[in-house]
Amino acid sequence: MLIKTLQVGMIGTNCYIVTDENTLQCAIIDPGGDSNTILEYVETNKLKPEAIFLTHGHFDHHLGLEAVMDETGAPAYINRADAVDGGPANPHKLDDGGRIKWYDEGSTFEIGSLKFEVLSTPGHSPGSVTLKCETALFTGDTLFRDSCGRTDLSGGSMEILLTSLKRLSDLPGDYEVYPGHAESSTMERERKFNYYIKHANGEG
């Protein structure tokens, strides 16, 4: 599994391109802007996008979505709870050939030999999800290195977010954590040093 991180858009959103190195099939996670940069990486490396995954519906995670869908032909997936006004899945785009589809807790996708599983992790937004692939967690704005997502936007809830953080912390073993912004981390590191994870676990 090859994971490429591209910082895109006006807020430096992490767009991840996750590739099966044997087949060159890939998934694009959170195309938050700078679609030319994303598409150039795909074209230069002769990748075959099979799906576009949105961890949630905030604008900074989907500004490049339409262009990436147009150029790659890949469908996009989002949790229905985030398909709201101002999000990526407005009714007009949903009706555009059915290219934006729903996923939810337990949905799975095979991209070449890679298996993605959708974990519902609301709190930052009602439809936030974490994507689990092998030993990697793509956490969107649910979990950051040493922090977590804000909850003061529409539909946010710190109480719900803490439940989601505990769920991630309770996953057995260690995982690489790839958040929606800033640096990557590991789940073991976050269990030890992240105040919000410790609070969610009743340690702070």
Side-chain angles (χ1 to χ4, degrees), residues 47-180:
L47 304 185
K48 306 167 187 175
E50 300 288 334
I52 303 165
F53 298 138
L54 301 178
T55 60
H56 63 292
H58 291 153
F59 77 95
D60 56 315
H61 289 256
H62 68 78
L63 283 176
L65 174 62
E66 192 165 14
V68 173
M69 283 198 301
D70 287 344
E71 289 298 319
T72 65
Y77 295 85
I78 185 173
N79 188 312
R80 187 187 293 269
D82 270 14
V84 296
D85 291 343
N90 64 55
H92 294 95
K93 285 186 180 177
L94 281 174
D95 292 337
D96 185 10
R99 296 187 301 168
I100 298 182
K101 305 177 185 297
W102 309 124
Y103 60 14
D104 204 346
E105 170 69 29
S107 297
T108 59
F109 300 85
E110 292 185 2
I111 307 294
S113 64
L114 304 177
K115 182 177 180 180
F116 289 83
E117 180 182 355
V118 178
L119 308 179
S120 179
T121 51
H124 174 66
S125 70
S128 286
V129 303
T130 291
L131 297 157
K132 180 162 72 76
C133 182
E134 297 185 354
T135 59
L137 296 173
F138 300 93
T139 58
D141 289 1
T142 296
L143 173 63
F144 298 134
R145 181 185 178 97
D146 296 328
S147 190
C148 66
R150 61 191 293 182
T151 58
D152 59 336
L153 300 174
S154 177
S157 166
M158 179 54 75
E159 181 179 0
I160 294 173
L161 181 58
L162 288 172
T163 299
S164 294
L165 293 175
K166 179 168 175 51
R167 180 187 187 184
L168 294 178
S169 177
D170 286 346
L171 291 172
D174 198 10
Y175 286 87
E176 298 167 341
V177 174
Y178 294 94

Side-chain angles (χ1 to χ4, degrees), residues 22-40:
N22 294 319
T23 67
L24 298 184
Q25 293 167 284
C26 72
I28 299 171
I29 300 174
D30 287 347
D34 300 327
S35 57
N36 288 341
T37 299
I38 299 168
L39 294 168
E40 180 180 7

